Amino acid sequence: MVATPTGGILTVMAHPDDAELWAGGTLAVHAATGVPVTIAVPGLNPTRRREAVAGARILGATPHLLDAITVDTVRELLVGVQPDVVMTHSPDDIHPDHQHAAQTLLTALPDVVISTGRPRAVYTCDSYHNLNRHGHPLHLPTIIDITSAWRTKTTALAVHQSQPITEHFGPMAVTLARLHGGRAGVRYAEAFAPVPVLGRLPITPLAQKGI
């Protein structure tokens, strides 16, 4: 486990390559401006642990390796980091591990927000081919231009050599980035949905200074 900075952006993801795949460009864009970025993923598998650490460092983020994603571990992480923004999967994601990570975070969130005042904003990310578990497109109204960080994102994703990056995840990442980029009139983008935090929604877009 690596010591984590406080504030900034925290991602809680189900698999060691998820941060790079679903939010790597956004994390790199913010890290490049000096925003602290922490990536929390399970780290029990030695190979995937090494890949997670390498990918996070390419993005400019601090890796935080969890023994498991439970309400207690996520609550401890939230209290320790006290992030301004948290990013995770959609609770309606296709993958059951993604659903579990999202629901665990949402379960841990209320008590932490009441006691610490943070995070101030929570966002959920994209899923396989932009679909939820019912086969409908996810509604992701917050679009981040990641064109400047595209090479960083793909380089970080490529270090996960134990996964089918070249034949599966890499092409899907390109397709999704072009899809969201086309919606925003840029080359590559990632998209997110804000989640109410005790009934509050963020008033400042994710990519603006002072997230």
Side-chain angles (χ1 to χ4, degrees):
M1 185 176 294
V2 180
T4 57
T6 56
I9 300 174
L10 168 67
T11 70
V12 179
M13 300 290 191
H15 305 113
D17 58 345
D18 280 334
E20 289 91 329
L21 180 57
W22 310 115
T26 299
L27 299 178
V29 165
H30 286 82
T33 67
V35 173
V37 175
T38 303
I39 295 174
V41 293
L44 290 180
N45 181 288
T47 298
R48 301 206 70 184
R49 172 189 289 264
R50 289 192 295 270
E51 292 171 347
V53 170
R57 288 176 175 165
I58 290 170
L59 295 179
T62 299
H64 188 103
L65 303 171
L66 300 167
D67 291 337
I69 296 179
T70 67
V71 172
D72 288 341
T73 60
V74 172
R75 184 185 293 118
E76 180 181 358
L77 180 64
L78 290 169
V79 171
V81 177
Q82 295 195 26
D84 299 308
V85 173
V86 171
M87 300 167 64
T88 191
H89 304 282
S90 169
D92 208 23
D93 196 288
I94 291 172
H95 200 300
D97 291 348
H98 295 184
Q99 296 171 26
H100 169 73
Q103 193 56 59
T104 301
L105 172 69
L106 294 176
T107 300
L109 198 63
D111 289 346
V112 176
V113 174
I114 289 170
S115 63
T116 69
R118 293 188 178 185
R120 298 188 178 96
V122 176
Y123 292 88
T124 58
C125 61
D126 211 342
S127 181
Y128 296 95
H129 302 289
N130 191 226
L131 298 178
N132 66 20
R133 58 181 170 173
H134 307 293
H136 302 142
L138 287 165
H139 178 58
L140 304 169
T142 301
I143 298 178
I144 308 300
D145 181 4
I146 63 165
T147 306
S148 64
W150 179 247
R151 184 178 296 275
T152 303
K153 173 188 170 80
T154 55
T155 301
L157 185 59
V159 305
H160 294 271
Q161 296 180 8
S162 67
Q163 304 304 300
I165 302 300
T166 301
E167 63 271 29
H168 180 61
F169 293 131
M172 182 173 65
V174 173
T175 299
L176 291 175
R178 287 176 173 167
L179 171 70
H180 297 307
R183 290 169 173 166
V186 299
R187 188 170 184 183
Y188 298 113
E190 290 169 341
F192 305 88
V195 176
V197 178
L198 295 181
R200 297 195 307 265
L201 286 169
I203 59 172
T204 307
L206 181 64
Q208 284 190 3
K209 185 177 179 180
I211 55 172

